[in-house]
């Protein structure tokens, strides 16, 4: 069985805050209580933002990589952001919820280009490494 739990950071700058880390640790501890052999994987998801042109974004992303490496967490990147990784376009902030709803309702995930969602470190715009990281912990449906 696979159980997915979400921890919302309420801002990406909170990724290493004790409230976020404690919630993750609590989920892992609770899972191990049920079955000591449970394999728990933690996946962080981040937008790359403007790391190619912004020194601040580049430094932030480097800090995230270091944090995830130290803690054994997997790291999913969306470049430049999730909308660009999936829809290959910038999306007005006001349109994001409507577009996400349409994406889900019309099952657009099945039409996604596997290659652009399988780019290590997602260093090119309109790409992600989401499938590479998910493949480490889940089996794809055939």
């Amino acid at each position: 069985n696979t159980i997915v739990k979400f921890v919302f950071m309420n801002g990406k700058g909170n990724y290493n805050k004790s409230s976020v880390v404690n919630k993750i640790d609590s989920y892992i501890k609770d899972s191990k209580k049920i079955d000591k052999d449970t394999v728990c994987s933690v996946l962080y998801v981040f937008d790359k933002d403007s790391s190619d042109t912004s020194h601040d974004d580049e430094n932030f992303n480097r800090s995230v990589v270091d944090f995830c490496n130290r803690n054994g967490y997997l790291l999913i990147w969306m470049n430049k952001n999730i909308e660009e990784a999936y829809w290959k376009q910038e999306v007005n902030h006001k349109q994001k919820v409507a577009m996400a709803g349409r994406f889900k309702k019309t099952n657009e995930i099945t039409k996604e280009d596997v290659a652009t969602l399988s780019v290590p470190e997602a260093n090119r715009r309109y790409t992600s490494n989401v499938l590479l990281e998910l493949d480490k912990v889940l089996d794809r449906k055939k």
Side-chain angles (χ1 to χ4, degrees), residues 75-93:
L75 181 55
I76 295 172
W77 289 114
M78 301 290 178
N79 193 347
K80 172 175 179 181
N81 54 46
I82 192 168
E83 293 83 16
E84 289 192 13
Y86 281 104
W87 299 319
K88 314 302 182 256
Q89 65 183 15
E90 289 187 42
V91 176
N92 180 299
H93 183 71

Side-chain angles (χ1 to χ4, degrees), residues 30-134:
D30 289 348
S31 297
K32 295 288 187 178
K33 282 182 188 175
I34 295 168
D35 180 354
K36 66 179 175 51
D37 296 324
T38 296
V39 175
C40 297
S41 300
V42 177
L43 294 95
Y44 268 74
V45 181
F46 282 92
D47 293 341
K48 281 232 169 165
D49 291 329
S50 298
S51 60
D52 55 340
T53 58
S54 166
H55 189 64
D56 289 341
D57 286 347
E58 181 183 358
N59 286 337
F60 176 82
N61 292 350
R62 194 175 304 115
S63 297
V64 167
V65 169
D66 291 343
F67 174 80
C68 288
N69 286 340
R70 279 193 318 274
N71 289 285
Y73 298 162
L74 300 175
L75 181 55
I76 295 172
W77 289 114
M78 301 290 178
N79 193 347
K80 172 175 179 181
N81 54 46
I82 192 168
E83 293 83 16
E84 289 192 13
Y86 281 104
W87 299 319
K88 314 302 182 256
Q89 65 183 15
E90 289 187 42
V91 176
N92 180 299
H93 183 71
K94 294 177 182 178
Q95 296 296 321
K96 288 183 179 189
V97 172
M99 286 191 70
R102 188 181 76 227
F103 185 81
K104 182 178 180 185
K105 183 178 180 180
T106 60
N107 206 22
E108 288 181 40
I109 193 72
T110 61
K111 302 170 193 151
E112 285 298 319
D113 179 18
V114 171
T116 61
L117 297 177
S118 303
V119 177
E121 299 177 28
N123 284 330
R124 291 189 333 267
R125 197 162 179 189
Y126 308 119
T127 64
S128 176
N129 65 333
V130 62
L131 295 179
L132 298 175
E133 297 304 309
L134 289 176

